[in-house]
Amino acid sequence: MEKNTGEDFATCPYDNAHRVLRSRLQLHLIKCRLNHPHVELQKCPLNQLHLVPEAEFERHLMSCPDRKIIAHYKYVDEMKFLKHDPIESEENWDDTESGNYNPETYARSNQIIRKPVGPPSKRKAFRHEEEERWQQLNRL
Amino acid sequence: MSEDQSRGRRRPSREQQGSGSRSPQETLPSSAGGGDSRRRREREPSDEPRPSKVYKKEPISPDRSSTSSRNENSRKEQPSTSAGSRGGGGDSADAGDNASKRERYEIVHTRPSDIQTKMGSGGAPVTLQTNYYRLLTKPTWRIFQYHVDFSPPIELRRVRGGMLSEHRATLGGYLYDGTKLFTSCKLSEEKTVIRAKSKFGDSYTIVIKYVGVISMTEWQSLQILNLILRRAMEGLKLQLVGRNFYDALAKIDLREYRLQLWPGYQTSIRQHEKDILLCAEIAHKVMRTETVYDILKRCTETARDFEEEFRRNVLGLTVLTDYNNKTYRINDVDFSKNPTKTFKCKEKEVSFIDYYYQKYHIRIRDQKQPLLISKAKDRAMRGGSSDIIILIPELCRPTGLTDTMRSNFQLMRAMADHTRMNPDRRIDRLRIFNQRLQQTEASVQVLNDWNMALDRHLVELNGRVLEPQRIVFSEHRKESAGVQADWTRYFRENGLFTTPSRGLERWSVIATNRNSRELRNFVESLIRAAGGMQMRISRPREIMLYDDRNHSYIQAMEDCSRQDPQLILCLVPNNNAERYSSIKKKGCLERAIPTQVITQKSAGNQRGLMSIATKVAIQINCKLGYTPWMIDLPLSGLMTIGYDVAKSTRDRSKAFGALVASMDMKTNATFYSTVAECSSHDVLANSLWPMMTKALRQYRREHENKLPTRILFYRDGVGEGSLRQVYEHEVKDVVEKLDQEYKRCGSEKPPMFAYVVVSKSINTRFFMNRGQNPTPGTIVDDVVTLPERYDFFLVSQSVRQGTVSPTSYNIVYSNIRLTPDQMQLLTYKMTHLYYNWSGTTRVPAVCQYAKKLATLVATSLYQPPQNALEKKLYYL
């Protein structure tokens, strides 16, 4: 059960006026980052949601609540590691240098209905592009 | 080999490998680059495009090392790469040779050019059927979209639809989804205003505003197709619950459990690899017949403090209200109020009784019942509705299964009898669905109106069955896993891959006095079973308890742990979750000793004792950090990572993410695991990188300071809706940090990395021979895949009952430089390594481990375990 409402909201690090539901914060940041390209914030290496100004970064690093992820990691005892002889395999793929598959190339050159993404302005442009693309495809 | 070495330097990424003998050599252009490519050709029969090499003439400059230079002289400038220490004599000689030329050539490897297809070719072809139907024709004309506003607003979608349908004449053929209206011909005006009267005489204004044209080549057209289909399905007299249609008439009553099963259909029309297909899947909805009011009455009868008891039962439940078909979550109960209380509705004070009667024609019977309070969901709140919703217990039906129901074996079996369907039965049901849709007059009418025709037959497609993989046992003996991917029977002859050299020497068993006979029996079988697998287990230290209180077990464990045992085995009388939790907490949080819990029921099972003992022996071997079996992997320097999240059962705002990584399985058969607490608000992982750093650091420690060459990340637990965000939030971050980390460690090149999203809950099913499950290892990478993804389906497990569900793998990022064939085979191989099961699993083993670990922490430990355990599979 969710308790008080105080915890359900978070303030966006890019703009103090942005109060967003805590569960939407991740998605909000993805968008807000694009809208504030000039705001320079340091990303905490321990938690991507911690975006702090350069000046406070050092202090944040020392007091980050997620330090526990690595804090106890300092104390590791020496272990012996279990290794075995390499297992023989019929094949060896070590020097494979295959390219990546780019689905866009395929989708673009075939009669495929593509999904528009991005902000509304981009989606609009995409729709125009798509119209032309389909016309070209139909001509072929 | 020596010749190769003298020809040029190794590619940096390869230097991480232990065995120099097989490592491929990069050649300088001056010395026959063709030889190299010829060799590669031989190994790779498939006609993949080779990496394009760009030869650049470039004068020597000191800053060149910062670029991804591959020339041997540049290595001198590198501060202290791992490569530097390994420089062979051949290399330096070569370097001098080259330096004499004033100009030198540099090979700049651009990324290998993209491959043209995501289809593989390995394995035996097989014809499969799948639960999709082709759309033979679809509307081709343009469709006009309108926005519809009612004032005053009408809550019920059905009523809104009804109001509109009275104006059919003005609208022509139309589709309405609740807010949007689609018509096949344009209305005469941009903004049509209709004044209408409802059945009760209230007058409404309907404003229909023109939005735009949609051509059938746009994404939105798929939405229209889905709407048409839904309209057609309405003709089948199905009821809409949530998003899907269920057949209330064909419901199955499980009266003794107060449950109903409603059979139904999940349908969706999507753009697939080549065509637009309709996916149809048989689904069942569990409906509880009791209402929250029934729970209340039960509480008043049984409990002394019924208010408290009722709260305990009801808070957090999701309820369905029949009148508007919506679900709410109960956050509080207000015992001080009852339905006669009034509230403000349209400037008037109305009591709940009157309100429900006026709006829905429902009479509330008990006027003294308390009221339920629900906080609005995020989405509703953004839509501007009030944040507190008051509900009447009588009208709320709890949804889903409670934990007590879920643990009720008989209930679950009774349900499974109906919900679990063998492939032939499922095909039959799909056929009936199709027939109904194409024969019911009302449906046919809708489909014809919109020029939509469905195929009568399921889509057939070509899949491939990968060869059975070979399982490696002790002394590297290999056995084929067989067609059914089950290698239980090979343990006796072959023995476990690695076991502790001196066996399990120091260990303790704890049981109650009453179970001493079962305990001795079981330990006897355990030692015998382990002996059969060439694992030595010595006699344990026995501790007998007088009672089965949790405290006694904990006390005994504390006593044992003074002797630094390798393992503690607890025999418990039943599977009490609290006791299990305390034992695990003691073992994982306080003491870092692996624990094994076994119930009296399984230990006392006379007939199956030997097979249970075998399984436990394998588990114990894993918990000690050793490996029962391995697979042969054609890649070295590979790290596979699995990640999954589980929500904490105690504190709902917390969740635990677990990451499990393999450590170059060619020479090291152990797994590394780590857990981090995260917020249950977040769908995406925030702390992926610190966890990955830990895994990478462990890898370096175990492999003489080398980092993995290739990293394959399997991400479980993200839905389809957040794929893009996963890419933006997780993948980009990890890729960037990997680059930095590799640079920092002196590696010239970032690792070859791929990020694969694994989804298990998908609606796609495959059938072989018109009514059988496909065999394990079946790959489908065409027709039903999605065109805007690099994805494939893999059936890896084999099931005895019901229909097997394939797993979908979506490669959202890749520069791992493996062919689709290799990715598929590698994934299949990775499903062979889950040591709780001597067969293949549905997802790659690392994912299964991550899930298991996350669940253990979220349901029993509630905080990350001791890191002394992180190299052992203590969570099995």
Side-chain angles (χ1 to χ4, degrees):
Chain A
M1 200 185 79
E2 284 93 44
K3 276 177 220 142
N4 50 14
T5 46
E7 260 179 80
D8 291 353
F9 282 90
T11 309
C12 168
Y14 288 100
D15 187 338
N16 284 344
H18 291 175
R19 294 271 290 158
V20 285
L21 276 171
R22 178 60 187 80
S23 51
R24 301 281 306 172
L25 184 62
Q26 286 184 325
L27 309 185
H28 177 86
L29 285 181
I30 294 175
K31 279 187 195 162
C32 219
R33 188 169 297 145
L34 296 176
N35 294 338
H36 294 85
H38 55 281
V39 180
E40 292 225 352
L41 293 175
Q42 286 273 354
K43 200 191 269 176
C44 170
L46 295 172
N47 190 331
Q48 283 197 66
L49 288 188
H50 299 166
L51 295 162
V52 274
E54 181 75 56
E56 289 171 32
F57 189 61
E58 284 287 314
R59 207 186 57 186
H60 174 84
L61 274 190
M62 300 311 292
S63 62
C64 178
D66 283 317
R67 272 190 77 83
K68 58 188 170 193
I69 298 177
I70 51 157
H72 65 256
Y73 188 68
K74 284 187 223 153
Y75 316 102
V76 264
D77 47 329
E78 280 304 310
M79 281 192 289
K80 62 174 175 58
F81 305 121
L82 276 177
K83 283 216 182 176
H84 54 79
D85 302 334
I87 298 170
E88 294 281 316
S89 178
E90 285 165 1
E91 286 177 83
N92 184 0
W93 300 345
D94 282 347
D95 55 345
T96 321
E97 284 280 349
S98 168
N100 187 20
Y101 173 72
N102 187 355
E104 205 189 319
T105 330
Y106 165 77
R108 197 185 273 278
S109 53
N110 283 282
Q111 298 205 341
I112 299 290
I113 299 177
R114 294 161 69 206
K115 187 178 182 178
V117 283
S121 61
K122 272 199 181 154
R123 266 182 274 172
K124 204 164 185 181
F126 183 85
R127 274 177 60 181
H128 289 302
E129 260 174 52
E130 281 295 280
E131 229 163 90
E132 273 174 37
R133 187 177 70 92
W134 276 88
Q135 273 172 10
Q136 271 183 5
L137 283 175
N138 288 337
R139 244 178 272 143
L140 291 174
Chain B
M1 175 186 124
S2 58
E3 184 213 356
D4 275 347
Q5 263 175 357
S6 64
R7 255 198 287 154
R9 77 187 278 325
R10 274 169 219 107
R11 218 172 306 148
S13 59
R14 296 289 128 60
E15 273 156 11
Q16 261 113 50
Q17 288 159 185
S19 58
S21 59
R22 298 208 66 165
S23 72
Q25 315 303 318
E26 199 49 68
T27 52
L28 286 169
S30 53
S31 59
D36 183 54
S37 66
R38 212 182 308 128
R39 280 197 315 150
R40 187 173 297 125
R41 261 282 162 75
E42 284 162 9
R43 214 165 303 172
E44 291 299 319
S46 64
D47 214 27
E48 82 197 46
R50 268 171 294 138
S52 55
K53 288 179 189 169
V54 181
Y55 300 137
K56 255 204 312 198
K57 252 186 193 178
E58 200 183 284
I60 305 165
S61 64
D63 61 337
R64 230 167 1 120
S65 58
S66 58
T67 66
S68 66
S69 151
R70 275 172 183 76
N71 230 316
E72 52 269 80
N73 277 23
S74 67
R75 207 204 287 162
K76 289 182 203 157
E77 288 134 24
Q78 290 277 343
S80 67
T81 58
S82 54
S85 57
R86 294 179 85 242
D91 284 73
S92 55
D94 209 31
D97 200 33
N98 263 322
S100 62
K101 304 171 190 164
R102 283 317 299 164
E103 282 177 336
R104 284 192 296 116
Y105 291 91
E106 183 188 18
I107 317 164
V108 177
H109 269 260
T110 54
R111 275 176 65 160
S113 55
D114 283 346
I115 45 169
Q116 296 306 308
T117 174
K118 62 178 166 189
M119 282 154 64
S121 55
V126 61
T127 308
L128 299 169
Q129 283 183 302
T130 176
N131 58 337
Y132 286 81
Y133 292 105
R134 227 169 229 120
L135 289 190
L136 297 176
T137 58
K138 58 168 188 149
T140 46
W141 53 81
R142 301 189 136 210
I143 285 174
F144 303 93
Q145 186 187 343
Y146 293 87
H147 183 82
V148 185
D149 259 327
F150 285 83
S151 70
I154 298 176
E155 187 77 9
L156 286 179
R157 199 169 98 184
R158 214 159 4 144
V159 177
R160 285 197 300 250
M163 301 266 289
L164 265 186
S165 71
E166 285 170 26
H167 304 279
R168 191 174 285 274
T170 37
L171 299 174
Y174 76 93
L175 286 167
Y176 179 60
D177 75 343
T179 49
K180 288 181 205 155
L181 178 85
F182 301 100
T183 58
S184 51
C185 50
K186 199 171 177 187
L187 304 180
S188 54
E189 286 165 78
E190 285 278 293
K191 192 172 170 183
T192 318
V193 181
I194 302 174
R195 302 205 182 278
K197 272 212 153 84
S198 75
K199 278 184 214 154
F200 308 110
D202 305 327
S203 56
Y204 287 94
T205 320
I206 310 171
V207 180
I208 303 173
K209 221 166 71 188
Y210 178 68
V211 177
V213 197
I214 294 166
S215 77
M216 290 316 278
T217 56
E218 272 178 55
W219 187 254
Q220 269 203 310
S221 68
L222 294 173
Q223 191 190 350
I224 293 167
L225 293 180
N226 275 304
L227 267 177
I228 299 172
L229 181 72
R230 282 179 165 250
R231 271 284 283 289
M233 280 170 72
E234 274 165 26
L236 303 182
K237 305 231 168 2
L238 300 177
Q239 196 177 328
L240 190 66
V241 185
R243 296 191 61 238
N244 301 315
F245 283 96
Y246 294 93
D247 199 341
L249 296 176
K251 70 183 170 216
I252 302 154
D253 244 316
L254 300 172
R255 201 155 290 151
E256 61 266 48
Y257 308 109
R258 293 200 206 175
L259 287 180
Q260 285 178 348
L261 284 176
W262 291 18
Y265 307 105
Q266 287 178 345
T267 55
S268 70
I269 298 179
R270 286 183 88 166
Q271 168 77 56
H272 286 273
E273 198 65 39
K274 294 192 178 73
D275 308 288
I276 295 173
L277 302 177
L278 158 67
C279 173
E281 163 67 344
I282 311 292
H284 286 90
K285 187 89 189 164
V286 180
M287 298 296 240
R288 280 161 70 179
T289 47
E290 59 177 7
T291 63
V292 176
Y293 184 69
D294 293 328
I295 300 180
L296 174 73
K297 276 179 76 183
R298 219 169 41 228
C299 291
T300 49
E301 279 160 19
T302 52
R304 194 176 296 161
D305 182 4
F306 79 93
E307 292 192 5
E308 188 53 43
E309 176 73 9
F310 182 58
R311 275 217 175 88
R312 212 171 55 81
N313 269 304
V314 163
L315 292 193
L317 269 187
T318 307
V319 294
L320 179 95
T321 47
D322 282 320
Y323 50 84
N324 61 358
N325 198 14
K326 277 189 180 164
T327 55
Y328 303 93
R329 187 191 164 103
I330 301 177
N331 297 97
D332 201 2
V333 184
D334 192 343
F335 284 99
S336 66
K337 291 176 186 153
N338 60 44
T340 56
K341 194 178 174 286
T342 58
F343 67 100
K344 215 170 201 151
C345 171
K346 294 173 197 155
E347 309 301 315
K348 275 187 294 186
E349 286 288 323
V350 197
S351 76
F352 287 100
I353 297 182
D354 294 340
Y355 174 78
Y356 278 101
Y357 186 70
Q358 278 163 16
K359 196 155 183 195
Y360 303 109
H361 288 263
I362 296 171
R363 246 183 260 273
I364 293 172
R365 267 174 264 144
D366 186 348
Q367 306 196 344
K368 285 183 189 148
Q369 56 189 318
L371 300 181
L372 306 175
I373 292 170
S374 163
K375 228 165 48 179
K377 290 171 202 157
D378 308 348
R379 192 178 296 171
M381 230 135 101
R382 266 178 284 133
S385 67
S386 71
D387 51 346
I388 298 281
I389 295 160
I390 295 184
L391 300 165
I392 313 290
E394 218 175 88
L395 308 177
C396 299
R397 281 199 292 159
T399 58
L401 295 167
T402 59
D403 287 339
T404 36
M405 286 175 168
R406 214 163 266 141
S407 57
N408 184 342
F409 178 68
Q410 256 136 24
L411 183 156
M412 292 310 277
R413 198 172 52 183
M415 259 177 43
D417 283 345
H418 297 285
T419 55
R420 196 192 283 141
M421 277 178 283
N422 283 338
D424 48 346
R425 202 163 135 219
R426 197 175 283 269
I427 292 179
D428 211 45
R429 292 275 292 274
L430 287 169
R431 190 178 50 78
I432 292 170
F433 166 65
N434 191 305
Q435 261 177 12
R436 267 177 90 182
L437 203 60
Q438 311 230 24
Q439 281 168 3
T440 312
E441 209 166 311
S443 311
V444 175
Q445 181 74 34
V446 176
L447 293 176
N448 283 348
D449 278 357
W450 291 91
N451 188 27
M452 202 157 108
L454 271 185
D455 199 344
R456 282 173 188 280
H457 304 286
L458 294 172
V459 168
E460 280 201 356
L461 50 82
N462 292 319
R464 290 171 289 114
V465 184
L466 301 178
E467 269 178 31
Q469 297 303 305
R470 287 183 311 162
I471 309 296
V472 185
F473 292 98
S474 71
E475 286 151 24
H476 294 210
R477 271 197 296 270
K478 289 180 186 174
E479 294 278 2
S480 165
V483 184
Q484 284 308 317
D486 184 354
W487 48 93
T488 316
R489 60 183 184 283
Y490 294 129
F491 283 113
R492 295 272 159 81
E493 301 126 53
N494 290 302
L496 304 177
F497 184 68
T498 55
T499 54
S501 53
R502 302 178 60 187
L504 178 56
E505 289 178 301
R506 279 168 293 118
W507 64 301
S508 308
V509 290
I510 300 172
T512 56
N513 261 338
R514 221 189 253 187
N515 295 334
S516 57
R517 197 170 51 85
E518 276 106 341
L519 179 75
R520 299 227 165 87
N521 237 338
F522 180 71
V523 168
E524 206 59 48
S525 324
L526 189 66
I527 292 174
R528 202 142 41 89
M533 295 183 291
Q534 293 158 32
M535 174 190 179
R536 209 163 347 127
I537 296 186
S538 316
R539 300 231 156 254
R541 206 185 110 176
E542 287 176 17
I543 295 178
M544 291 298 164
L545 306 174
Y546 293 105
D547 57 64
D548 65 345
R549 286 183 304 162
N550 294 356
H551 182 71
S552 319
Y553 275 96
I554 300 306
Q555 194 62 49
M557 280 178 76
E558 185 61 46
D559 289 345
C560 300
S561 40
R562 287 202 201 105
Q563 267 131 22
D564 185 29
Q566 292 163 288
L567 181 107
I568 299 176
L569 183 142
C570 296
L571 198 148
V572 293
N574 52 35
N575 49 6
N576 175 332
E578 210 173 308
R579 184 189 302 121
Y580 183 79
S581 171
S582 348
I583 292 174
K584 287 292 167 190
K585 271 184 193 161
K586 188 84 195 165
C588 301
L589 300 178
E590 285 178 36
R591 282 295 174 177
I593 298 169
T595 46
Q596 175 77 44
V597 177
I598 186 158
T599 59
Q600 177 199 345
K601 202 176 152 196
S602 33
N605 182 346
Q606 281 310 318
R607 253 188 302 157
L609 191 58
M610 213 44 203
S611 81
I612 290 173
T614 309
K615 275 182 187 156
V616 173
I618 294 172
Q619 247 185 42
I620 288 178
N621 191 42
C622 293
K623 286 184 177 183
L624 296 174
Y626 294 82
T627 311
W629 68 80
M630 224 27 224
I631 40 147
D632 58 336
L633 213 64
L635 268 179
S636 48
L638 172 76
M639 177 190 246
T640 51
I641 301 178
Y643 181 83
D644 206 345
V645 209
K647 283 190 181 170
S648 168
T649 50
R650 201 164 65 174
D651 181 356
R652 273 181 198 271
S653 69
K654 278 186 193 167
F656 292 95
L659 181 139
V660 174
S662 70
M663 305 267 131
D664 188 356
M665 288 175 286
K666 197 125 193 147
T667 57
N668 185 332
T670 55
F671 293 88
Y672 173 84
S673 68
T674 171
V675 182
E677 188 186 306
C678 41
S679 160
S680 65
H681 288 302
D682 297 330
V683 189
L684 311 172
N686 291 323
S687 306
L688 217 49
W689 179 246
M691 297 168 92
M692 259 180 92
T693 323
K694 287 200 223 171
L696 287 174
R697 203 168 292 175
Q698 183 70 24
Y699 189 99
R700 276 181 73 183
R701 285 170 61 200
E702 298 196 14
H703 294 91
E704 295 90 39
N705 243 351
K706 276 178 250 153
L707 282 165
T709 344
R710 281 187 166 95
I711 300 177
L712 182 49
F713 199 115
Y714 289 105
R715 171 73 155 97
D716 203 343
V718 273
E720 189 161 308
S722 35
L723 278 179
R724 240 198 126 61
Q725 284 91 315
V726 165
Y727 183 77
E728 293 289 329
H729 194 79
E730 295 180 7
V731 182
K732 275 188 175 171
D733 185 64
V734 166
V735 169
E736 183 192 317
K737 300 257 176 67
L738 271 176
D739 273 13
Q740 290 169 6
E741 175 77 8
Y742 270 62
K743 230 173 244 159
R744 205 175 56 79
C745 295
S747 165
E748 290 164 56
K749 220 170 69 170
M752 299 184 247
F753 177 72
Y755 198 91
V756 183
V757 172
V758 182
S759 5
K760 292 170 297 209
S761 45
I762 46 171
N763 289 332
T764 308
R765 300 282 180 273
F766 297 117
F767 314 109
M768 205 173 70
N769 302 336
R770 300 177 183 279
Q772 281 173 8
N773 277 322
T775 45
T778 303
I779 295 265
V780 173
D781 51 10
D782 197 12
V783 185
V784 291
T785 48
L786 296 174
E788 294 187 270
R789 288 187 191 169
Y790 178 7
D791 60 347
F792 62 91
F793 291 94
L794 167 63
V795 178
S796 48
Q797 65 185 356
S798 104
V799 294
R800 296 209 185 92
Q801 290 168 306
T803 316
V804 69
S805 46
T807 309
S808 155
Y809 295 89
N810 179 9
I811 303 161
V812 292
Y813 176 88
S814 163
N815 67 355
I816 199 164
R817 309 200 173 179
L818 295 177
T819 62
D821 256 326
Q822 291 169 337
M823 282 298 281
Q824 293 164 3
L825 184 56
L826 192 59
T827 304
Y828 184 47
K829 278 178 186 284
M830 284 305 297
T831 63
H832 287 68
L833 290 173
Y834 186 64
Y835 299 135
N836 252 3
W837 176 249
S838 49
T840 45
T841 47
R842 205 164 142 190
V843 294
V846 277
C847 266
Q848 193 83 31
Y849 287 131
K851 185 182 193 65
K852 181 97 180 153
L853 174 57
T855 324
L856 174 76
V857 177
T859 57
S860 304
L861 302 181
Y862 309 118
Q863 54 175 299
Q866 289 248 356
N867 51 335
L869 285 169
E870 62 202 3
K871 281 293 296 192
K872 296 173 179 167
L873 296 169
Y874 60 94
Y875 40 84
L876 273 184

